[in-house]
Amino acid sequence: MFFIFAQCGGNANAAAVRYRELHPGKHAPRAAVFRRLAARLYSSGSFQPDRTGTGRSCRIPTARLDAVFAEFDRDGTQSVREIGRRLGVSRTTVHRQLQDQGMRPYKYVRVQTLHPRDYVQRMKYSRWLLGEIERNPSFCRYVLWTDEALFTRGGCFNAHNSHVWGDENPIAIRPHAIQGHWSVNLWAGICDDFVVGPYILPDRLNGPTYIHFLEHVLPGLLEEIPLEIRRNMYFQHDGASAHYAANVRTYLDEAFRDRWIGRGGSVPWPPRSPDMNPLDFFFWGHLKTAVYRDPMATRDEVVARIHGAVATISRDTLRRVQYNIRRRAEACIEVRGGHIEPILATLA
């Protein structure tokens, strides 16, 4: 392999092509395999990883080592146990060799499923938002971003990331599937560096209850927002059924005129886009992490934890969230309306 790499002048891509030409019946290594092989030779003078001073030797034949990397180049989702069993190498040896090459396992990022027509709508919204920011760099401060979320008794518990340390297994347990269910339907907003609310809505939100909230509750929640921002405020909500009720749209047309973002509004909100709403990409995650840290017995306890978690959010944090809104719109343009998480990961 290295001879082919040298023949190709150190060009890993050309070496991969040349290998396929010379050995059409074999599994062809990818360019990354050639690059790793060369880096290992140049750094240590050997095709084997340098394990000086790391304890007992666990060298395996170069051909088998290359086969390990070739397997992961072919399919990076395989387990080290599966690869080791297939190639006759121990699981720990495979894992150690991967670590020596700077490789590590990464978790999947869950994203919202997008429909084909969503891409254009997401790009159109992002262009509009960036245009407003270009005209007024403080534009995001004038938007009231809103959303609703449901907090249930069972909550969410990630056993994979929850541990109890000790010198022996305490057999820690966490009850689930609890009888006597209850829930809290919560509305909240972010405007400038303020959290608006939160406010507990009826369990079933529909047009009449939502319009009552907008007309009689929301004005009181906005009293702490500076008057200058309230006078020029944009209102945002997503395309939930209650938000699209005819009387709701009529009220928003009268109260905000052409300054509301949502389904049927002067600025359409792109469907299936929680990654563009600060309530979804920041606020609810922050609250639920705090609320669900320990089991809850009563609904009042959930409400108390919610208010306690909101109180921990600093105004500096909310300012950074405002900047993140713009960065996400830019990323959306870059991926032509697709999922923005890969772009955001490179900017972190």
Side-chain angles (χ1 to χ4, degrees):
M1 285 179 60
F2 191 76
F3 179 72
I4 295 175
F5 182 74
Q7 277 188 327
C8 295
N11 187 320
N13 292 317
V17 173
R18 182 60 177 160
Y19 189 97
R20 284 194 294 270
E21 294 173 350
L22 295 175
H23 306 284
K26 292 185 177 181
H27 173 73
R30 294 169 55 185
V33 176
F34 286 94
R35 282 192 286 268
R36 280 199 298 267
L37 191 66
R40 195 185 310 149
L41 180 63
Y42 294 150
S43 63
S44 65
S46 171
F47 290 116
Q48 292 283 355
D50 182 10
R51 302 195 58 81
T52 304
T54 59
R56 63 186 179 87
S57 174
C58 61
R59 293 181 179 273
I60 62 176
T62 301
R64 188 169 295 179
L65 182 62
D66 291 335
V68 169
F69 293 125
E71 284 291 327
F72 281 102
D73 284 331
R74 181 177 61 84
D75 181 5
T77 65
Q78 302 178 86
S79 70
V80 293
R81 188 185 303 276
E82 179 184 356
I83 296 298
R85 183 168 53 248
R86 186 183 306 150
L87 299 178
V89 183
S90 72
R91 174 185 62 83
T92 54
T93 299
V94 173
H95 193 262
R96 190 177 294 115
Q97 299 299 334
L98 294 175
Q99 288 182 322
D100 287 343
Q101 296 302 314
M103 298 177 68
R104 55 175 295 182
Y106 294 93
K107 295 181 180 180
Y108 283 96
V109 177
R110 297 178 65 180
V111 297
Q112 183 80 31
T113 299
L114 295 176
H115 295 180
R117 62 181 179 275
D118 294 342
Y119 294 80
V120 173
Q121 297 181 63
R122 284 164 59 86
M123 287 187 65
K124 185 176 180 180
Y125 165 78
S126 297
R127 289 195 180 107
W128 170 83
L129 179 61
L130 293 174
E132 294 297 323
I133 294 174
E134 184 176 355
R135 284 186 285 273
N136 177 11
S138 300
F139 175 77
C140 288
R141 295 180 54 219
Y142 291 83
V143 180
L144 173 59
W145 311 92
T146 76
D147 197 25
E148 299 90 32
L150 194 67
F151 290 73
T152 62
R153 183 178 185 181
C156 53
F157 176 68
N158 188 344
H160 182 73
N161 292 332
S162 301
H163 310 281
V164 178
W165 289 87
D167 52 6
E168 61 181 35
N169 188 352
I171 316 297
I173 63 174
R174 173 124 178 182
H176 72 102
I178 306 170
Q179 293 183 342
H181 292 282
W182 41 256
S183 61
V184 177
N185 192 16
L186 201 69
W187 178 97
I190 293 177
C191 184
D192 192 18
D193 51 6
F194 294 89
V195 173
V196 181
Y199 180 80
I200 300 175
L201 294 168
D203 289 343
R204 296 179 63 86
L205 184 64
N206 53 31
T209 56
Y210 189 54
I211 191 66
H212 178 271
F213 165 78
L214 293 175
E215 291 179 333
H216 302 288
V217 178
L218 183 59
L221 297 177
L222 295 175
E223 288 181 353
E224 292 187 8
I225 305 298
L227 181 60
E228 190 266 337
I229 290 180
R230 276 185 283 162
R231 285 175 174 171
N232 299 281
M233 178 182 291
Y234 273 72
F235 179 86
Q236 178 275 335
H237 63 189
D238 60 24
S241 298
H243 300 173
Y244 191 62
N247 56 350
V248 170
R249 285 178 282 143
T250 299
Y251 171 78
L252 293 176
D253 285 337
E254 295 173 353
F256 293 94
R257 299 187 180 181
D258 59 349
R259 291 179 287 107
W260 69 277
I261 307 166
R263 184 157 63 119
S266 56
V267 181
W269 176 256
R272 290 166 286 278
S273 297
D275 52 348
M276 311 296 283
N277 187 335
L279 278 299
D280 280 304
F281 69 71
F282 161 70
F283 187 77
W284 297 130
H286 175 85
L287 258 62
K288 291 191 175 184
T289 298
V291 169
Y292 293 137
R293 181 172 290 115
D294 300 305
M296 298 164 292
T298 66
R299 189 173 185 270
D300 290 340
E301 186 178 355
V302 174
V303 174
R305 289 191 191 182
I306 288 171
H307 288 288
V310 170
T312 66
I313 302 175
S314 69
R315 300 181 75 170
D316 285 339
T317 297
L318 294 175
R319 293 187 189 103
R320 290 194 295 271
V321 169
Q322 297 285 354
Y323 170 74
N324 206 342
I325 295 170
R326 173 176 183 166
R327 187 170 67 168
R328 287 168 178 265
E330 293 170 340
C332 186
I333 296 296
E334 187 172 346
V335 296
R336 303 187 63 80
H339 293 117
I340 63 177
E341 285 73 16
I343 299 297
L344 297 177
T346 63
L347 299 176

